């Protein structure tokens, strides 16, 4: 049985103590006053049933270190209750390196305050096919030499380190992009190789669904131009911060109504620190401009690249 105790009046200046006895009511005592209770010293105690289904777990919010939680100020929809339960709703997307699931986090005593999030879970290197990994990680260094040696030997530990490295890389990128004001899902928390983040949705006729990839859309001319302006602004912000997405395309950009949202960030590279940084940036420009041209918008990747370089230096 899981229980949560809250004391609104508890403070260093409050000398009272509380005793919890199974099957007995909660009582508060003030030293020197056995019969009188201070009415301001009150507790709320909520009991949660431990009967979880196979697709459920207790919320891991308090299991992770503070740095493994999303940046503040946090959105109001983030559920931080100690009694919340995570319920897996099914798989949202399969990928070469990771799978994305939908997970609902809700407190049984406050079901209306629950939220559905995307849970991205990285596979180990035996079950993923991350292409050109070495070119993306050039310039990065491991904090522990043991991990770096294990990666080079491709040992069992090295494979676990590799999976965690990509998860940590994406977590760091999501936090950094969010703090820069870039359009990315809000990162809720990371635990091991699982990242919980905002589920990006699109509502049509009152029905909420996952926002489609940009590649799946056929926007009208006005919206197409609006999307391109958002893209150009986002790329300029990245370049000013010395960052390149590294694998940007219409397949990892979501169209959430009239808003573009950039996803899949584990491979971000340093524009200057990585010798291929500018090549990656040009490729990102080419991937996106090719799609916009195919939809009838006259844009040029070389022109966009030159404009971005002006922001970088």
């Amino acid at each position: 049985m899981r229980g949560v105790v809250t004391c609104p009046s508890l403070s260093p200046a409050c000398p009272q103590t509380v005793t919890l006895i199974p099957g007995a009511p909660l009582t508060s005592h003030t030293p020197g006053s056995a019969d009188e209770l201070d009415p301001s010293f009150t507790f709320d105690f909520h009991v949660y049933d431990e009967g979880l289904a196979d697709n459920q777990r207790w919320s891991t919010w308090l299991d992770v270190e503070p740095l493994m939680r999303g940046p503040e100020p946090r959105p109001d929809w983030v559920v931080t209750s100690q009694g919340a339960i995570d319920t897996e709703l099914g798989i949202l997307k399969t990928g070469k390196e990771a799978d994305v699931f939908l997970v609902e986090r809700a407190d049984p005593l406050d079901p209306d305050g629950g939220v559905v999030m995307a849970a991205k879970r990285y596979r180990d290197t035996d079950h993923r096919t991350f292409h050109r990994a070495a070119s993306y990680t050039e310039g990065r260094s491991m904090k522990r030499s043991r991990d770096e040696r294990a990666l080079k030997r491709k040992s069992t530990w090295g494979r676990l380190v590799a999976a965690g490295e990509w998860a940590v890389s994406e977590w760091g990128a999501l936090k950094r992009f969010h703090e820069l004001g870039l359009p990315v899902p809000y990162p809720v928390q990371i635990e091991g190789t699982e990242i919980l983040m905002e589920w990006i949705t699109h509502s049509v006729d009152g029905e909420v669904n996952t926002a489609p990839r940009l590649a799946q859309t056929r926007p009208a001319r006005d919206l197409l131009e609006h999307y391109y302006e958002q893209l150009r602004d986002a790329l300029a912000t990245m370049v000013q911060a010395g960052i390149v997405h590294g694998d940007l395309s219409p397949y990892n950009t979501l169209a959430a109504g009239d808003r573009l949202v950039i996803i899949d960030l584990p491979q971000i590279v340093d524009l200057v620190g990585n010798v291929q940084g500018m090549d990656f940036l040009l490729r990102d420009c080419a991937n996106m401009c090719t799609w916009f041209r195919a939809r009838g918008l006259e844009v040029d990747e070389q022109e966009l690249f030159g404009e971005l370089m002006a922001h970088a230096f």
Side-chain angles (χ1 to χ4, degrees):
M1 180 171 63
R2 173 175 285 204
V4 177
V5 178
T6 57
C7 175
S9 63
L10 189 59
S11 70
C14 180
Q16 297 141 326
T17 60
V18 172
T19 303
L20 300 182
I21 303 174
L26 286 172
T27 59
S28 63
H29 305 278
T30 303
S33 177
D35 299 325
E36 296 183 5
L37 300 180
D38 184 344
S40 68
F41 190 51
T42 59
F43 280 88
D44 292 318
F45 184 73
H46 304 297
V47 178
Y48 295 83
D49 188 359
E50 282 188 348
L52 300 182
D54 292 340
N55 66 331
Q56 292 182 321
R57 68 186 183 192
W58 289 110
S59 167
T60 55
W61 175 259
L62 291 180
D63 297 337
V64 300
E65 298 177 3
L67 290 178
M68 299 300 139
R69 300 174 194 151
E72 296 182 346
R74 298 188 181 102
D76 293 339
W77 53 262
V78 175
V79 177
T80 61
S81 168
Q82 299 178 57
I85 293 172
D86 292 347
T87 302
E88 192 157 312
L89 304 178
I91 194 163
L92 179 63
K93 186 186 77 168
T94 58
K96 293 176 293 185
E97 299 81 40
D99 296 323
V100 181
F101 299 79
L102 288 181
V103 173
E104 180 187 42
R105 175 168 289 176
D107 187 325
L109 300 181
D110 182 25
D112 293 337
V115 63
V116 177
M117 301 175 291
K120 188 170 185 177
R121 297 166 186 164
Y122 277 87
R123 307 191 193 100
D124 63 38
T125 51
D126 286 340
H127 302 93
R128 63 181 178 86
T129 56
F130 203 106
H131 301 297
R132 302 180 302 277
S135 60
Y136 287 118
T137 57
E138 185 172 353
R140 296 184 191 174
S141 61
M142 302 296 295
K143 290 184 178 180
R144 298 195 302 179
S145 58
R146 172 180 177 244
D147 293 344
E148 196 158 0
R149 291 195 302 271
L151 279 172
K152 291 178 181 178
R153 291 197 305 268
K154 299 183 179 179
S155 64
T156 300
W157 175 250
R159 290 194 294 271
L160 293 173
V161 170
E165 180 190 11
W166 288 108
V168 169
S169 176
E170 176 149 32
W171 170 254
L174 281 168
K175 289 207 303 181
R176 188 173 180 187
F177 278 33
H178 176 78
E179 290 165 350
L180 288 171
L182 287 162
V184 296
Y186 176 79
V188 177
Q189 69 174 72
I190 180 174
E191 184 181 35
T193 57
E194 178 189 75
I195 301 174
L196 291 177
M197 67 185 80
E198 178 185 2
W199 176 36
I200 304 300
T201 62
H202 177 48
S203 180
V204 178
D205 297 328
E207 184 177 351
V208 177
N209 293 295
T210 301
R213 299 176 183 182
L214 183 62
Q216 300 171 314
T217 66
R218 298 292 185 272
R221 177 75 183 196
D222 289 349
L223 184 55
L224 188 70
E225 293 175 351
H226 184 52
Y227 281 161
Y228 185 74
E229 290 300 320
Q230 292 180 62
L231 169 70
R232 188 167 59 184
D233 290 345
L235 287 173
T237 299
M238 290 183 213
V239 167
Q240 287 171 344
I243 309 168
V244 179
H245 184 285
D247 194 31
L248 189 61
S249 78
Y251 292 94
N252 49 33
T253 307
L254 302 181
D258 61 356
R259 183 172 68 104
L260 285 188
V261 179
I262 298 169
I263 60 172
D264 294 337
L265 307 172
Q267 69 292 311
I268 67 164
V269 298
D270 190 295
L271 178 62
V272 177
N274 188 305
V275 295
Q276 300 183 60
M278 292 188 185
D279 293 334
F280 282 129
L281 177 59
L282 180 57
R283 189 179 68 187
D284 286 353
C285 293
N287 287 340
M288 299 304 292
C289 286
T290 297
W291 183 86
F292 278 98
R293 278 199 303 272
R295 299 297 179 275
L297 194 64
E298 291 301 319
V299 293
D300 180 78
E301 56 264 30
Q302 294 290 344
E303 182 179 336
L304 176 59
F305 178 76
E307 180 182 335
L308 295 174
M309 284 295 95
H311 286 285
F313 301 105

